[in-house]
Amino acid sequence: MDQKRQIDWEKLGFDYIKTDFRFISVWKNGSWDAGKLVEDNTLTISEGSTALHYGQQCFEGLKAYSTKNGDIQLFRPDENAKRMQKSCDRLMMPRVPEELFILACKQVVRANRAFVPPYGTGATLYLRPFVIGIGDNLGVKPAPAYIFCVFCSPVGPYFKGGMKPVEFCVSDYDRAAPNGTGNAKVGGNYSASLLPHNEAVQRGFADCIYLDPATHTKIEEVGAANFFGITESNCFVTPKSNSILGSITKYSLMHVAREYLQMKIEEREIPIDQLDEFVEAGACGTAAVITPIRSIEHNGKSYVFCKENDPGPVTKKLYQTLTGIQFGDVEAPEGWIVRV
Ligand code: PLP
Ligand code: COI
């Protein structure tokens, strides 16, 4: 058994904890170098770096899970690698090869084994891969060099209380434009969400939900998670939109709903004034896992989806099955689990 760090695993929130090693690879003159693990958690970059001025950067989020028998495993890292390639394409950054991405994740987890939360604590090791444009530059153009880095931090629930239902309001702001970067995991989407999030919190909500930027009539997503609703006829419904992030958790839940729980699934537009069709609702993502939504407030009306401290039965089953797969207690579909 590895010597674990003295951390109160059950009390972890979603905060930065400095771990021992991170992986860094540099792109210059057309290729990525082999990369290496380093101890320094600071980066020294040119003041002209495009990441600093023009937001030429993207990131990913995935987790390492401890199983009952002490193994450590990643959940669908190939999907994160592919999504990061799409984000890189969108911002004219060089793609990180899938093999380099997965190698970096595995090396970071192995080197920081002491920080991987033990099975049964509910906590996980969150991995944060990112690519930034670096090097001397002034005009609006792609950077001459790039850093790909993966660091990690042990985490608990993103929304306080984990499976405790949260209350959301609908935002008047947009996080992304109709044909903008909403479907890429780039920093600008998140800085655009800071003010709306803060205003929602000031009003007593856990976060806000965005509507489609073109018509403001359809549900898009939360600032850091996708949305799903469950209808009375046991159908898992989730928004289809060009301006939301393709959530790996959401697509995994669609598979779980259909193949494990024999539910119907629909990925389609969800008009905000038809939220009454749902008997349960939730936010889903790597950090959020499944966070049950107690209510959504829109134009003075509150749509309620469960009791105060009691998520609906389908949300609970989805949560148990998904986390069962991630922690190795439920058999996973082929290729979803990668041992570290
Ligand atoms: N939507 C946004 C805006 C996110 O930041 C995230 C988190 O990654 C998600 C959805 C959920 O995506 P995933 O399930 O791949 O973590
Ligand atoms: C994730 O779920 O991985 C996210 O990126 C959400 C948030 C912490 C930005």
Side-chain angles (χ1 to χ4, degrees):
M1 195 67 192
D2 307 307
Q3 195 64 38
K4 293 282 178 194
R5 287 299 163 116
Q6 288 298 313
I7 291 173
D8 201 348
W9 308 105
E10 272 100 353
K11 293 229 173 75
L12 284 173
F14 196 85
D15 299 300
Y16 180 86
I17 291 177
K18 182 173 177 258
T19 56
D20 291 338
F21 294 97
R22 59 279 306 121
F23 180 96
I24 291 191
S25 169
V26 175
W27 185 95
K28 250 192 313 205
N29 304 323
S31 63
W32 292 102
D33 68 21
K36 59 174 190 274
L37 290 169
V38 298
E39 288 186 61
D40 190 358
N41 74 332
T42 64
L43 298 170
T44 302
I45 58 173
S46 166
E47 61 192 356
S49 295
T50 57
L52 298 178
H53 303 270
Y54 306 128
Q56 200 192 18
Q57 65 83 243
C58 67
F59 68 98
E60 273 302 323
L62 69 162
K63 286 173 169 175
Y65 304 79
S66 286
T67 67
K68 206 179 262 175
N69 64 11
D71 289 335
I72 302 175
Q73 56 191 31
L74 300 171
F75 181 70
R76 312 191 75 179
D78 54 319
E79 292 296 326
N80 293 92
K82 288 187 185 93
R83 189 169 65 190
M84 194 153 93
Q85 292 187 343
K86 280 197 212 153
S87 300
C88 285
D89 288 351
R90 182 65 178 81
L91 297 196
M92 291 195 72
M93 303 196 284
R95 290 177 162 205
V96 174
E98 194 172 313
E99 309 76 59
L100 178 63
F101 183 96
I102 294 176
L103 174 90
C105 292
K106 284 183 174 175
Q107 285 201 14
V108 166
V109 176
R110 285 188 197 129
N112 294 295
R113 282 188 100 85
F115 292 91
V116 183
Y119 175 83
T121 60
T124 51
L125 188 74
Y126 183 77
L127 306 188
R128 172 52 63 84
F130 63 92
V131 175
I132 56 173
I134 58 164
D136 297 344
N137 181 69
L138 197 54
V140 182
K141 58 181 179 296
Y146 296 85
I147 286 177
F148 164 55
C149 174
V150 181
F151 73 87
C152 66
S153 182
V155 296
Y158 187 71
F159 288 105
K160 233 165 124 205
M163 267 298 268
K164 188 169 173 313
V166 294
E167 300 189 338
F168 289 148
C169 59
V170 171
S171 181
D172 293 332
Y173 294 102
D174 299 320
R175 66 177 275 284
N179 292 312
T181 55
N183 55 11
K185 202 160 170 63
V186 303
N189 299 338
Y190 297 83
S191 43
S193 77
L194 294 175
L195 181 64
H197 171 83
N198 191 51
E199 289 185 6
V201 170
Q202 296 295 323
R203 291 177 56 207
F205 296 97
D207 206 340
C208 56
I209 290 201
Y210 296 93
L211 300 179
D212 72 290
T215 70
H216 283 193
T217 57
K218 295 165 277 187
I219 280 218
E220 291 259 292
E221 62 175 333
V222 190
N226 270 186
F227 171 85
F228 69 86
I230 310 295
T231 65
E232 200 142 25
S233 62
N234 207 27
C235 184
F236 179 101
V237 186
T238 186
K240 190 170 182 62
S241 161
N242 192 27
S243 44
I244 65 176
L245 191 72
S247 158
I248 296 160
T249 313
K250 186 265 281 289
Y251 288 115
S252 304
L253 283 174
M254 289 170 78
H255 183 88
V256 163
R258 197 181 51 210
E259 303 298 327
Y260 288 63
L261 305 179
Q262 285 69 54
M263 296 170 65
K264 286 171 281 175
I265 54 169
E266 281 175 10
E267 194 183 18
R268 60 157 162 89
E269 292 181 347
I270 302 181
I272 184 69
D273 60 4
Q274 287 172 31
L275 281 178
D276 278 335
E277 68 173 314
F278 300 122
V279 291
E280 296 181 37
C284 64
T286 300
V289 193
I290 289 180
T291 302
I293 300 177
R294 169 162 157 71
S295 62
I296 297 176
E297 195 251 29
H298 178 54
N299 281 348
K301 182 169 176 193
S302 185
Y303 298 88
V304 178
F305 304 104
C306 67
K307 296 199 201 89
E308 202 163 334
N309 272 320
D310 193 17
V314 180
T315 305
K316 277 192 210 153
K317 259 192 273 173
L318 286 166
Y319 180 89
Q320 282 156 4
T321 314
L322 175 72
T323 56
I325 291 170
Q326 292 168 330
F327 285 102
D329 296 325
V330 172
E331 188 163 352
E334 174 133 13
W336 280 22
I337 295 295
V338 172
R339 282 272 150 76
V340 173

